[in-house]
Amino acid sequence: MTLGIISALEDELTHLLDGTRATVTEIGGTKFYQTPIEGVPAVLVVSGIGKTNAAFITTVLCHHFACEKIVFSGVAGGIDDRLKIGDIVLSKDAICVDYGRLQDDVYMVYQPGNDPTPHNQDTTHGYKIHPTLQKMITIPSTDGLKQVQGHTPKVVWGKVLTADTFLECAKARKKYWRLYRAQAYAMEGASIAQVCEHFNTPWVIVRALSDLAGGGASFNFEKFLKLTTYNASVVTRHIVRCLRDAR
């Protein structure tokens, strides 16, 4: 089994690459690092921010490196008021919220790739983790996680929304909670899931909440980035061990 491990930012991937002796392959101007993680052959890569970057990188991992499973490790903005900065969401649903149709000032979300013109209605929203993969993954102990603002992070399964916009708007955050009951919002996950479905490749997304996607999101993102990316990497290593031991 070869795993593909994606992060959008260097800060997110560095904790996983530290101490490794990776073989580097450059494709399309992007460096792919081949090295074992927790005893499992893996290809690690910084995708860059956004859906197009994420889709490109996932395609290369699935097609060129023949990765059998894809893991995303990184940070996100929180949507669910029950969660705090530092908490970690494992995505069982990845939903793109910026593809669809705007008609008479009403925006209707469609599944990416589906026809969004008025004659076509679409009630499909999002991609779901493969149930077999979800069963392989246990919620880890929080012993190895660093506290954030005096809070020991909790790890939960949830929904992660995707759009090509950094969200710093309390009104939009409330809207997304009302519409989707989602836990987090970021800029890559649904595109990764979409490509994985084309290749029949199971995926899981790890998102540590670096901010709460409302007022002050950009300040909190920078303030808590190092702590939250570290914790995301700890949970990602746990997931790799789960997948390793389930073989």
Side-chain angles (χ1 to χ4, degrees):
M1 174 178 66
T2 300
L3 292 179
I5 300 178
I6 306 171
S7 292
L9 305 172
E10 288 188 13
D11 290 295
E12 295 171 325
L13 198 68
T14 185
H15 305 291
L16 293 168
L17 277 177
D18 281 350
T20 65
R21 289 186 170 184
T23 300
V24 181
T25 302
E26 188 166 324
I27 300 173
T30 300
K31 293 180 179 178
F32 294 80
Y33 300 89
Q34 294 174 266
T35 183
I37 299 292
E38 301 296 326
V40 178
V43 183
L44 294 82
V45 58
V46 176
S47 65
I49 297 170
K51 296 187 301 179
T52 301
N53 285 329
F56 159 61
I57 292 303
T58 307
T59 301
V60 175
L61 289 174
C62 292
H63 182 68
H64 181 83
F65 290 101
C67 293
E68 297 169 49
K69 294 177 177 65
I70 300 293
V71 181
F72 183 94
S73 180
V75 298
I79 297 294
D80 188 340
D81 281 335
R82 296 170 298 181
L83 300 179
K84 297 180 179 180
I85 291 176
D87 287 342
I88 297 169
V89 179
L90 308 183
S91 179
K92 61 180 180 180
D93 296 276
I95 305 171
C96 177
V97 295
D98 65 348
Y99 177 90
R101 183 173 80 252
L102 181 62
Q103 182 176 350
D104 297 328
D105 295 324
V106 177
Y107 190 81
M108 289 157 276
V109 171
Y110 280 61
Q111 187 82 329
N114 287 359
D115 181 359
T117 54
H119 70 274
N120 183 50
Q121 300 301 312
D122 181 17
T123 58
T124 305
H125 298 302
Y127 306 92
K128 292 186 177 296
I129 189 173
H130 195 287
T132 302
L133 183 67
Q134 186 174 358
K135 288 179 182 178
M136 293 179 181
I137 298 169
T138 60
I139 296 294
S141 163
T142 58
D143 291 346
L145 301 179
K146 294 182 179 180
Q147 288 196 339
V148 181
Q149 290 186 304
H151 165 67
T152 299
K154 62 181 177 181
V155 184
V156 300
W157 288 101
K159 295 179 184 177
V160 177
L161 307 181
T162 302
D164 269 330
T165 306
F166 184 86
L167 184 61
E168 189 168 7
C169 176
K171 182 178 179 180
R173 180 189 178 203
K174 290 177 182 177
K175 180 189 75 171
Y176 285 136
W177 169 251
R178 185 181 75 252
L179 292 175
Y180 300 103
R181 291 296 191 264
Q183 280 59 59
Y185 172 105
M187 299 173 67
E188 296 82 26
S191 291
I192 291 169
Q194 181 183 5
V195 173
C196 282
E197 286 210 351
H198 282 290
F199 285 96
N200 197 28
T201 301
W203 55 270
V204 63
I205 295 165
V206 180
R207 290 288 192 180
L209 303 185
S210 59
D211 59 84
L212 295 180
S218 58
F219 172 78
N220 288 330
F221 173 82
E222 295 294 340
K223 181 179 180 181
F224 298 114
L225 184 62
K226 288 185 178 180
L227 274 177
T228 51
T229 54
Y230 173 81
N231 286 341
S233 74
V234 171
V235 174
T236 298
R237 285 185 176 275
H238 168 80
I239 288 173
V240 173
R241 291 193 294 271
C242 288
L243 301 181
R244 177 196 68 197
D245 296 342
R247 286 186 293 174

